[in-house]
Amino acid sequence: MNSFTDWLPTLMIFLPLAGSLLLLVTPKTFRDEVAGFIAALTLGAGLAIWRGGGSELFRWDWIPPLGITYSVQLGGVSLALALVTAFMSFIAILYAARRIPNPGPMLSLILAMETGLIGIFAAQDLMLFYVFFEDALIPALLMLAIYGKSGRMAALTKFAAYTLFGSLLMLVSIIGVRYIGGSPTFAMTDLKQNLVQGSAQTWLYLGFLAAMAVKLPLWPMHAWLPDFHEQNHDSGIPDVMGTLYKVGGYGIFTFAIPLFPDASLELRPVLMGLAAFTALYAAWIAFGQTDWKRLLAYAGLSHMGFVALGVFSLNETAVIGAMYLLAFQNLYTGALFLAVGMLQERIGSLDTRVGGVMTQAGALGGLTMALWFASIAVPGMAGFIGEFSILLGAYQVFPWLAFIAGITTIAAAAYALTAFQHTFWQARPAGAVRVPDLVHTEWLILTLPLAVAVLFGVYSAPALNLMQPAVRAVLTALGGN
């Protein structure tokens, strides 16, 4: 590495892991401050990379006999997602320090998972991507195992089974991509020059998709998701990190499309249909939920259906919209989980039918409503730009699938506003506990993600200018659409 800027991606990746280990020996009195400082420093490193226009590709032969390189780069879509990850990890740490008794282990796990997630976005070697993909799983499982509710072991088993099944097929595909294609290494620069041809490409693409479908997720590989969220800690902090772990759309965009271009075009109609169905199905199921966490889980699944529709369309407008939605839904979906956690702390329930909260906790109700507006893609919010771009681009490829997905926007407003009305507007039951309003850092925890969602909803140019060249480069290599 020749300059300090060359170090920044590696610093951004491994600084949280170093902080996670440091917390193990830090006195309890200072753990909150140390974790917050490390998270803020990581976010600062990301902002420095953004200010510099992204980082150059750095490559080091990590394990030469196996052809595994340490190839990392943060720019375009990967930088946008890394920045959002660093930002929401910082928010999660702020809330964990206030909400979790003896928060040291939780703070350490958040930082450890942040390293895995940023590594996923920075990796430009397929085997390195796999390593970070698996590394991020371990803290997610530990958070569920340590802090989860009574049904956590069943949820953990289901989550691990789905993930490991998909990961095994992805590993087979990764090995096949290199050896069938004849690439000297697993680095993307080499793999793209030695593509697999013929039917083997389709089979390897399906193996890679198995893991990405779990981590989007897509129907029918989504069954782990509602239980994962429902059984995690009531605070919503592990749910924030779980939302950030929905990296399937990014994996398809960055690795699957460039490495399996013919298969991507061949399977486009089927995969777009599956994505549209996922979006509509999840919105329909969300409407019937009475547990806030399960409702948010299905709302997130519906968003991921939109992301998949955009990515699988291979249309530039739709793919840009998909990456935009993938990045910014992490803000308001994560913040909604935290808002629900604050509500549970006050009333002791995650049931949507508690009624009358707005009359006693107006700020909590108002911010939750604003975050729901972001989630259902109201104009002026970042989600609107993402969803509208996806529908516009998908319409140019398969209009009827765009129409099916478009119905989801109506369903989303129905389930979101119905649940909100039942919780915040209906009459408060006689004898119910009084609901205190937001205090201290809770204001920051909800307003900061909302402010960013509004900012990039009304002024999208910085994010679009960051993402568009990366999307265009991938689709140009594919031959456009």
Side-chain angles (χ1 to χ4, degrees):
M1 292 187 179
N2 301 318
S3 68
F4 177 70
T5 55
D6 294 332
W7 283 93
L8 283 176
T10 297
L11 177 67
M12 190 179 184
I13 294 168
F14 291 106
L15 182 60
L17 181 60
S20 175
L21 297 174
L22 180 61
L23 287 181
L24 300 179
V25 296
T26 300
K28 291 183 179 181
T29 311
F30 305 108
R31 284 178 181 172
D32 300 356
E33 291 77 7
V34 170
F37 176 74
I38 294 295
L41 200 59
T42 304
L43 179 57
L47 292 173
I49 296 171
W50 187 17
R51 184 180 180 184
S55 70
E56 298 294 328
L57 175 66
F58 172 77
R59 175 170 168 168
W60 170 59
D61 292 333
W62 181 23
I63 310 177
L66 299 180
I68 301 174
T69 69
Y70 177 77
S71 299
V72 294
Q73 183 177 20
L74 282 173
V77 173
S78 65
L79 179 56
L81 289 166
L83 282 168
V84 170
T85 297
F87 177 77
M88 288 308 295
S89 297
F90 175 68
I91 295 295
I93 282 173
L94 285 182
Y95 190 46
R98 194 204 70 80
R99 173 73 188 269
I100 307 294
N102 185 24
M106 176 68 86
L107 297 174
S108 182
L109 290 172
I110 292 171
L111 290 173
M113 190 167 178
E114 184 180 3
T115 281
L117 293 171
I118 296 175
I120 287 171
F121 301 132
Q124 288 296 310
D125 178 285
L126 206 50
M127 193 60 75
L128 183 66
F129 169 77
Y130 179 81
V131 169
F132 283 124
F133 187 85
E134 296 301 313
D135 282 348
L137 174 64
I138 298 171
L141 292 174
L142 287 175
M143 276 189 264
L144 180 57
I146 296 171
Y147 294 98
K149 291 181 273 192
S150 59
R152 64 184 181 273
M153 295 314 296
L156 186 151
T157 301
K158 185 185 292 186
F159 176 45
Y162 272 85
T163 300
L164 294 176
F165 169 75
S167 297
L168 179 61
L169 292 178
M170 180 172 69
L171 180 60
V172 172
S173 292
I174 288 172
I175 295 171
V177 165
R178 180 193 167 191
Y179 287 102
I180 296 176
S183 172
T185 73
F186 288 99
M188 283 296 290
T189 51
D190 292 330
L191 292 174
K192 286 189 285 188
Q193 294 175 5
N194 297 273
L195 295 179
V196 177
Q197 304 296 331
S199 62
Q201 185 183 120
T202 302
W203 287 109
L204 293 175
Y205 181 44
L206 290 172
F208 194 86
L209 274 180
M212 297 302 102
V214 172
K215 281 297 181 291
L216 260 163
L218 275 180
W219 182 91
M221 306 295 284
H222 72 287
W224 61 271
L225 185 67
D227 293 339
F228 172 83
H229 286 300
E230 182 184 30
Q231 294 300 322
N232 249 311
H233 192 268
D234 286 330
S235 66
I237 295 162
D239 303 291
V240 172
M241 304 309 295
T243 299
L244 294 170
Y245 198 18
K246 293 176 182 175
V247 296
Y250 173 78
I252 293 167
F253 165 74
T254 301
F255 299 103
I257 293 176
L259 295 178
F260 313 110
D262 296 336
S264 298
L265 287 166
E266 178 186 356
L267 297 177
R268 174 163 64 174
V270 174
L271 294 175
M272 285 184 68
L274 185 61
F277 175 77
T278 298
L280 186 57
Y281 161 82
W284 177 262
I285 300 299
F287 189 79
Q289 301 304 307
T290 57
D291 180 283
W292 268 112
K293 281 202 173 189
R294 293 186 73 87
L295 190 153
L296 287 173
Y298 282 109
L301 177 62
S302 185
H303 287 143
M304 291 303 102
F306 261 95
V307 169
L309 181 69
V311 173
F312 289 138
S313 74
L314 306 179
N315 173 277
E316 181 180 321
T317 302
V319 175
I320 292 173
M323 294 299 102
Y324 203 91
L325 181 61
L326 179 62
F328 289 105
Q329 65 85 30
N330 286 323
L331 296 172
Y332 44 78
T333 302
L336 277 169
F337 272 114
L338 297 180
V340 167
M342 294 174 190
L343 179 65
Q344 188 279 334
E345 184 181 21
R346 286 158 167 78
I347 64 176
S349 173
L350 287 168
D351 197 293
T352 61
R353 299 163 295 183
V354 294
V357 172
M358 181 69 85
T359 60
Q360 299 174 1
L364 175 59
L367 288 173
T368 302
M369 182 170 63
L371 288 166
W372 266 124
F373 284 162
S375 180
I376 63 177
V378 168
M381 301 290 191
F384 173 77
I385 294 172
E387 291 193 14
F388 182 77
S389 298
I390 291 167
L391 291 175
L392 185 62
Y395 183 84
Q396 298 172 35
V397 182
F398 290 111
W400 60 277
L401 288 177
F403 173 77
I404 292 173
I407 299 174
T408 303
T409 60
I410 301 172
Y415 70 66
L417 296 179
T418 299
F420 183 86
Q421 179 186 10
H422 288 166
T423 299
F424 289 93
W425 282 122
Q426 290 186 349
R428 193 90 178 106
V433 296
R434 180 163 183 81
V435 186
D437 213 342
L438 297 179
V439 294
H440 308 307
T441 55
E442 290 178 335
W443 282 92
L444 282 177
I445 289 161
L446 296 185
T447 56
L448 286 178
L450 178 61
V452 176
V454 172
L455 173 63
F456 286 96
V458 298
Y459 183 51
S460 59
L464 291 176
N465 291 339
L466 184 64
M467 294 180 181
Q468 188 176 45
V471 171
R472 191 164 289 169
V474 168
L475 296 183
T476 299
L478 182 67
N481 57 300

